[in-house]
Amino acid sequence: MPETWDYTLYIPNDLRAVTVCRRTLRLILTLHGLTGLVDTAELLAAELVSNAVRHTKGPAALRVRRTAEGVVWIGAWDTDPGPPEPPRPLGRAGELEEAGRGLGLVVACAEQWGWQPSARFGNRGKYVWCELAAA
């Protein structure tokens, strides 16, 4: 049975928080012996957290957990209760665009992804999440 754990990092609405989240996630996964997931998890967390702080005005949070099934779940909470913009497919047509590819990367790299309404800090909001197989 895999070890289970759950971490939440509460962050201000500040783009510097993306780097803090990436480095914290790298440390968590490394200490739990999941170094094979670090690069992909960092990329996905950076996309989720940057969307949370760019498109909302309130606080945000990064949550990472490992389930009993061995799945690593990464979620970013923000204060916008509405659904995220649909992911844009990755490909040559939009390769020069600077923005708008984040959820496309999540779809391409994660086993699953989704979003759900959720309240934190007394605010309505949502989690946008993805899963990576740890095995």
Side-chain angles (χ1 to χ4, degrees):
M1 181 86 82
E3 174 188 29
T4 61
W5 38 261
D6 193 334
Y7 296 88
T8 302
L9 177 63
Y10 298 98
I11 58 173
N13 189 287
D14 183 335
L15 282 174
R16 293 173 290 193
V18 176
T19 301
V20 171
C21 289
R22 288 180 61 195
R23 290 185 178 167
T24 302
L25 178 63
R26 175 175 284 275
L27 182 60
I28 291 167
L29 293 176
T30 299
L31 291 173
H32 284 285
L34 298 171
T35 55
L37 293 181
V38 168
D39 293 336
T40 302
E42 258 192 307
L43 172 68
L44 300 181
E47 294 299 338
L48 297 177
V49 172
S50 67
N51 282 347
V53 298
R54 285 178 200 247
H55 300 296
T56 65
K57 294 183 179 170
L62 171 69
R63 182 175 178 197
V64 58
R65 63 187 166 107
R66 186 170 185 195
T67 68
E69 295 78 28
V71 172
V72 173
W73 186 94
I74 302 166
W77 179 85
D78 66 47
T79 57
D80 180 358
E85 292 290 321
R88 292 186 192 169
L90 300 179
R92 298 193 61 79
E95 70 184 17
L96 298 177
E97 294 178 20
E98 291 283 324
R101 298 178 296 160
L103 281 181
L105 287 170
V106 173
V107 169
C109 296
E111 306 293 326
Q112 292 187 52
W113 82 279
W115 76 278
Q116 63 197 53
S118 179
R120 293 266 185 217
F121 308 112
N123 296 314
R124 290 179 50 215
K126 70 175 170 300
Y127 262 112
V128 180
W129 56 269
C130 63
E131 294 180 350
L132 295 172

